[in-house]
Amino acid sequence: GAMDAGTGNAITGPADRAVADAQAGRTHQAAMQMQQAAAVIADGIQNGSISQSEGATLQGDIATLDSALGLNGTTTTPTTAPGPGDGNGNGPGGGQNG
């Protein structure tokens, strides 16, 4: 599958800035940019705009870049699979009227 250009730009923009920041010795800013890129990927997986397989590849790429920049794992984000869906509405209730 292909992700939309906006999502792609939301990943590559911060990653590009992270490289520039790291080269300039601004490691904190670089780490923040990498975290932003990683968060876009995680959010995309969660909301379905990035497939699980694309997301895994992108997360690996971001982790590799993170390591190459000497940031050492600043982009670690939890990966969560989508849940089973909405509940069935058969909870115990117990509300009171009046």
Side-chain angles (χ1 to χ4, degrees), residues 14-82:
D16 288 343
R17 288 188 296 276
V19 171
D21 284 336
Q23 289 174 336
R26 296 186 299 263
T27 55
H28 178 73
Q29 291 90 334
M32 297 296 288
Q33 297 289 352
M34 293 298 288
Q35 288 173 346
Q36 183 180 350
V40 170
I41 296 167
D43 289 346
I45 294 168
Q46 191 72 19
N47 70 27
S49 65
I50 299 174
S51 72
Q52 291 284 335
S53 62
E54 287 173 329
T57 298
L58 290 167
Q59 286 172 328
D61 292 346
I62 289 291
T64 299
L65 178 58
D66 183 82
S67 178
L69 295 176
L71 302 176
N72 300 319
T74 58
T75 59
T76 303
T77 57
T79 55
T80 56

